[in-house]
Amino acid sequence: MPPCWTLSRGIVLTFPGFEQYDMLRIRVLHGPNLNLLGTREQLIYGTMSLDALDSAITKLAKELAVKVDLRQSNSEGELVTWIQEARTGYDGIIINPAAYTHTSIAIRDAIAAVGLPTVEVHLSNIHQREEFRHRSYVAGVVLGQIAGLGPTGYLLALRGLHDLLTASRRRTKTATPAVSRRTAKGTT
Ligand code: CA2
């Protein structure tokens, strides 16, 4: 909700221009080879292209009034940089680190360093595939992992982050300031 002031007789003054300012912002990162989605290995990864997946995420984001920033890279360093940059201006991250899931301590360290609530998504169920895919280096530092639900996994991750972040914002806004709590107890 944009900043608003309640005047007398219940008149509420709002500033629509401030809507962007108050929106939740989530960065969505796709790792290596996900640009090939829909073109091969369709039995494992499905038929949806990355563009179509991004459109579905953008559509849900609009419904939830969330601003999403979607990026794909084949480079580990670029993904690390984008995770670090998310520290300023973003409320959460959704990431499918693709093959880097199973190899990258750098991506794990970046996620841990920024400390933003992050959801790890995999199109396939990595736990039912080859042994080397069972280990995720990022699983230990993320809020949760969604694997095996195809593109729907990203939409669930977005909804989940939205719900958690909205609830936590609401708690912050309604928390009684320490001073008035003390006053209420009559200790000042
Ligand atoms: O299931 C997932 O989402 C994965 O993160 C996908 C990675 C794989 O290395 C992980 O173990 C599980 C691979 C992404 C490659 O995507 C392609 C898509 C179409 C054609 C070829 C590769």
Side-chain angles (χ1 to χ4, degrees):
M1 200 210 280
C4 60
W5 284 263
T6 307
L7 305 176
S8 59
R9 290 187 301 272
I11 297 165
V12 179
L13 211 64
T14 65
F15 289 83
F18 280 95
E19 267 157 25
Q20 295 280 332
Y21 163 86
D22 215 25
M23 278 175 107
L24 285 175
R25 281 176 294 184
I26 293 175
R27 179 161 272 184
V28 181
L29 300 176
H30 306 290
N33 296 310
L34 286 165
N35 52 314
L36 300 177
L37 268 186
T39 63
R40 39 194 99 138
E41 302 216 55
Q42 295 184 340
L43 284 179
I44 301 173
Y45 301 119
T47 54
M48 190 181 268
S49 68
L50 187 62
D51 278 352
L53 172 58
D54 282 347
S55 299
I57 297 169
T58 305
K59 182 171 176 277
L60 177 63
K62 278 197 185 119
E63 284 167 34
L64 297 173
V66 172
K67 192 171 181 295
V68 279
D69 172 68
L70 302 121
R71 293 156 186 246
Q72 187 276 330
S73 179
N74 294 328
S75 147
E76 184 179 17
E78 198 159 37
L79 290 164
V80 167
T81 301
W82 291 340
I83 294 165
Q84 288 181 8
E85 284 174 0
R87 189 188 210 139
T88 48
Y90 289 88
D91 302 293
I93 298 173
I94 294 170
I95 184 168
N96 181 347
Y100 290 136
T101 307
H102 321 296
T103 62
S104 180
I105 297 170
I107 290 179
R108 176 197 170 100
D109 285 350
I111 294 170
V114 301
L116 286 173
T118 298
V119 179
E120 173 189 358
V121 174
H122 298 285
L123 294 158
S124 63
N125 185 341
I126 54 174
H127 305 287
Q128 286 179 347
R129 298 183 65 193
E130 304 96 318
E131 191 83 32
F132 68 86
R133 295 189 203 272
H134 296 183
R135 179 176 62 181
S136 163
Y137 275 104
V138 306
V141 294
V142 294
L143 195 60
Q145 182 194 71
I146 301 173
L149 299 181
T152 303
Y154 287 87
L155 305 181
L156 293 173
L158 180 58
R159 219 173 252 288
L161 269 182
H162 164 269
D163 290 359
L164 285 165
L165 290 166
T166 306
S168 110
R169 271 192 178 180
R170 221 175 274 137
R171 273 196 302 275
T172 311
K173 274 184 187 161
T174 56
T176 319
V179 172
S180 31
R181 245 184 281 134
R182 242 183 288 128
T183 312
K185 283 184 188 162
T187 53
T188 54

